[in-house]
Amino acid sequence: MDEMEWTHRHPKAEDLRVGLISWAGTYLTFEACKNTVTATAKSLGRRQTWEILVSNEHETQAVVRLKSMQGLYLLCECDGTMCYGRPRTSHHGCFLLRFHRNSKWTLQCLISGRYLESNGKDVFCTSRVLSAYHMWTPRPALHVHVILYSPIHHRYARADPTMGRIWVDAAVPCLEECGFLLHFRDGCYHLETSTHHFLSHVDRLFSQPSSQTAFHMQVRPGGLVALCDGEGGMLYPQGTHLLLGLGCNPVRGEEWFILQHCPTWVSLRSKTRRFISVIYDGEVRAASERLTPMSLFQFECDSESPTVQLRSANGYYLAQRRHRAVMADGHPLESDTFFRMHWNCGRIILQSCRGRFLGIAPNSLLMANAILPGPNEEFGILFANRSFLVLRGRYGYVGSSSGHDLIQCNQDQPDRIHLLPCQQGIYHFQAQGGYFWSITSFGTFRPWGKFALNFCIELQGSNLLTVLAPNGFYMRADQSGTLLADSEYITKECIWEF
């Protein structure tokens, strides 16, 4: 069976969201309780996140509306005050967004011609004369674990730790080397590889972030970004091997990348511990004792529905076909490619749209035969493209803080949680310095335990999961900022973006 070309998906809503930082370093903030818009927050959270809705776009400017996470729009009134609500006319709430060469944005009210500005606290729109006070720095609000896709070359960036380089040559982003952490510090970005090295100005990887690994980011609505050194150099693929490096002469827009959340790739294992793999003619078997590229599946799941689609590295989706056989020849809109998922202590059970459960037949084929699930219908599931987690909840990232003894869930900068798999779906959480996560009798966590504990991970969406802690409760984000494991049931605060 021929491989289908790996199609790049359209941007999702989270790819279009940004935080806007004023000249004073504070974020444009939606103040729900005060019915106002301010710029006092020092970190990027839900109330500082805006979706950019574009109605008309050119190379240097666009006509946009800013929509908050609460579904209301940023509005400019006749006296220059700012509020939020529903637009009353076709132009109410529209701004002319201009992209400046210093990577800043300005927003000019389309009706009054006045610029959006802040005094470091209040936000208003009163001046028609452009100044530094009207400059806003856009910061992508998507999760910091990202992939970079070149729309010109139709390839993904891939780190090569053995050569200390980054190439833009991956056709399918299924490898851990295609994922990067995007750190935002002092207005600049540092691109960290999966092996925890940093891209530098001199086209090689550094072990620590520094001024030589700091890049400015130009941002366009829709997830388009370009990284530059602030002195005229742009990052773009160069040469026949598409080495990612600084240069001054990109052509055809080579410097632009689409920035997206790192996808979830998994491997599935049968009860005989053989990997579920796609073989010739799209057959799916539990035949391989070792992990191969054809044993990897992208886990695509709508968080509003308990169904999942599994996309193979050949570009096709698993689908139930005639005689209940499961084949890797499906297309994304086919109903036969949707499987209902059930979890049992970190192991996944898949049910076809026709009600039968997936299991392994005596000839090792993946079939939808069983009316009721048993051990043969349970599959071990492991992350295939990440050895660590970065968790973001309702109040921020999970991380440690010098001012707190316990692990917090409201951080602007996350900690990496290294994953040590010990069973299917069960992991040890390792903190920095080789220590393990420990849990207190109050259900709180510390990052310096000496003994490894078991954490059960269950996927709830394409990039969403829940964690069952060693004490038998689900881990949740608390409004106080402390990470807790005290929930018997899965609530919104138990869902973690990773």
Side-chain angles (χ1 to χ4, degrees), residues 222-298:
L224 274 177
V225 300
L227 293 166
C228 56
D229 64 356
E231 299 178 358
M234 305 290 296
L235 273 179
Y236 61 94
Q238 300 176 36
T240 56
H241 297 291
L242 301 179
L243 171 67
L244 185 63
L246 279 175
C248 298
N249 299 301
V251 296
R252 300 182 299 132
E254 284 184 308
E255 71 275 23
W256 291 104
F257 291 87
I258 296 177
L259 187 71
Q260 290 185 337
H261 199 152
C262 185
T264 304
W265 286 78
V266 299
S267 63
L268 299 172
R269 264 180 150 175
S270 68
K271 70 174 184 179
T272 60
R273 301 190 63 79
R274 293 181 181 269
F275 288 102
I276 309 300
S277 304
V278 179
I279 57 175
Y280 58 89
D281 293 333
E283 284 189 346
V284 186
R285 291 179 177 268
S288 177
E289 293 183 355
R290 60 185 184 89
L291 193 64
T292 69
M294 297 312 294
S295 309
L296 305 181
F297 300 92
Q298 185 173 339

Side-chain angles (χ1 to χ4, degrees), residues 446-462:
R446 291 193 174 98
W448 52 70
K450 294 182 179 180
F451 304 102
L453 302 177
N454 291 342
F455 291 82
C456 178
I457 292 176
E458 296 179 352
L459 297 177
Q460 305 294 339
S462 293

Side-chain angles (χ1 to χ4, degrees), residues 31-303:
E31 300 285 2
C33 59
K34 301 177 183 177
N35 197 34
T36 59
V37 179
T38 65
T40 56
K42 295 295 181 69
S43 61
L44 178 58
R46 290 177 60 85
R47 292 188 295 113
Q48 291 76 40
T49 299
W50 301 86
E51 186 176 343
I52 308 298
L53 303 179
V54 180
S55 59
N56 195 356
E57 185 174 4
H58 300 284
E59 186 174 339
T60 60
Q61 62 187 38
V63 176
V64 303
R65 278 193 169 104
L66 274 67
K67 183 180 178 183
S68 73
M69 295 283 284
Q70 290 75 12
L72 299 176
Y73 293 82
L74 182 69
L75 303 175
C76 178
E77 301 298 3
C78 297
D79 60 357
T81 59
M82 304 303 299
C83 63
Y84 53 84
R86 304 286 180 185
R88 296 188 294 271
T89 67
S90 59
H91 288 92
H92 192 210
C94 285
F95 294 86
L96 181 62
L97 168 60
R98 286 193 177 93
F99 314 117
H100 296 267
R101 299 186 67 180
N102 61 357
S103 303
K104 308 288 187 183
W105 285 4
T106 54
L107 290 153
Q108 186 178 21
C109 177
L110 211 59
I111 296 176
S112 68
R114 298 186 177 99
Y115 290 96
L116 183 72
E117 66 177 297
S118 169
N119 59 8
K121 179 181 177 183
D122 298 317
V123 179
F124 42 88
C125 212
T126 57
S127 175
R128 290 189 176 91
V129 181
L130 189 62
S131 72
Y133 296 104
H134 304 119
M135 296 290 175
W136 297 86
T137 300
R139 177 184 174 185
L142 81 166
H143 192 279
V144 298
H145 200 177
V146 299
I147 55 174
L148 293 166
Y149 175 75
S150 170
I152 296 295
H153 298 287
H154 305 288
R155 289 292 183 268
Y156 296 86
R158 173 187 64 88
D160 184 349
T162 59
M163 298 187 67
R165 299 286 189 270
I166 294 178
W167 314 95
V168 185
D169 63 357
V172 181
C174 60
L175 300 176
E176 184 172 7
E177 291 81 1
C178 294
F180 300 89
L181 291 180
L182 196 61
H183 299 279
F184 181 72
R185 297 177 183 173
D186 301 323
C188 291
Y189 293 86
H190 302 261
L191 197 64
E192 182 183 0
T193 71
S194 60
T195 56
H196 315 309
H197 293 82
F198 294 84
L199 178 65
S200 73
H201 296 178
V202 294
D203 303 343
R204 60 186 178 89
L205 301 179
F206 284 13
S207 60
Q208 296 292 332
S210 68
S211 60
Q212 284 292 296
T213 67
F215 293 91
H216 298 277
M217 181 182 285
Q218 296 182 16
V219 180
R220 299 291 184 270
L224 274 177
V225 300
L227 293 166
C228 56
D229 64 356
E231 299 178 358
M234 305 290 296
L235 273 179
Y236 61 94
Q238 300 176 36
T240 56
H241 297 291
L242 301 179
L243 171 67
L244 185 63
L246 279 175
C248 298
N249 299 301
V251 296
R252 300 182 299 132
E254 284 184 308
E255 71 275 23
W256 291 104
F257 291 87
I258 296 177
L259 187 71
Q260 290 185 337
H261 199 152
C262 185
T264 304
W265 286 78
V266 299
S267 63
L268 299 172
R269 264 180 150 175
S270 68
K271 70 174 184 179
T272 60
R273 301 190 63 79
R274 293 181 181 269
F275 288 102
I276 309 300
S277 304
V278 179
I279 57 175
Y280 58 89
D281 293 333
E283 284 189 346
V284 186
R285 291 179 177 268
S288 177
E289 293 183 355
R290 60 185 184 89
L291 193 64
T292 69
M294 297 312 294
S295 309
L296 305 181
F297 300 92
Q298 185 173 339
F299 194 95
E300 298 183 10
C301 178
D302 183 357
S303 61

Side-chain angles (χ1 to χ4, degrees), residues 420 428-429 436-437 449-454:
L420 302 179
H428 300 321
F429 282 11
F436 294 96
W437 276 34
K450 294 182 179 180
F451 304 102
L453 302 177
N454 291 342

Side-chain angles (χ1 to χ4, degrees), residues 399-473:
S400 53
S401 169
S402 58
H404 295 87
D405 178 50
L406 304 172
I407 295 176
Q408 302 294 295
C409 61
N410 61 353
Q411 301 295 294
D412 186 60
Q413 298 292 333
D415 284 353
R416 293 188 305 270
I417 306 169
H418 290 275
L419 296 176
L420 302 179
C422 53
Q423 298 175 37
Q424 305 291 337
I426 307 295
Y427 294 86
H428 300 321
F429 282 11
Q430 191 173 39
Q432 309 293 336
Y435 293 99
F436 294 96
W437 276 34
S438 65
I439 187 168
T440 71
S441 57
F442 301 102
T444 55
F445 297 93
R446 291 193 174 98
W448 52 70
K450 294 182 179 180
F451 304 102
L453 302 177
N454 291 342
F455 291 82
C456 178
I457 292 176
E458 296 179 352
L459 297 177
Q460 305 294 339
S462 293
N463 284 98
L464 302 173
L465 58 76
T466 53
V467 178
L468 193 62
N471 64 356
F473 291 96

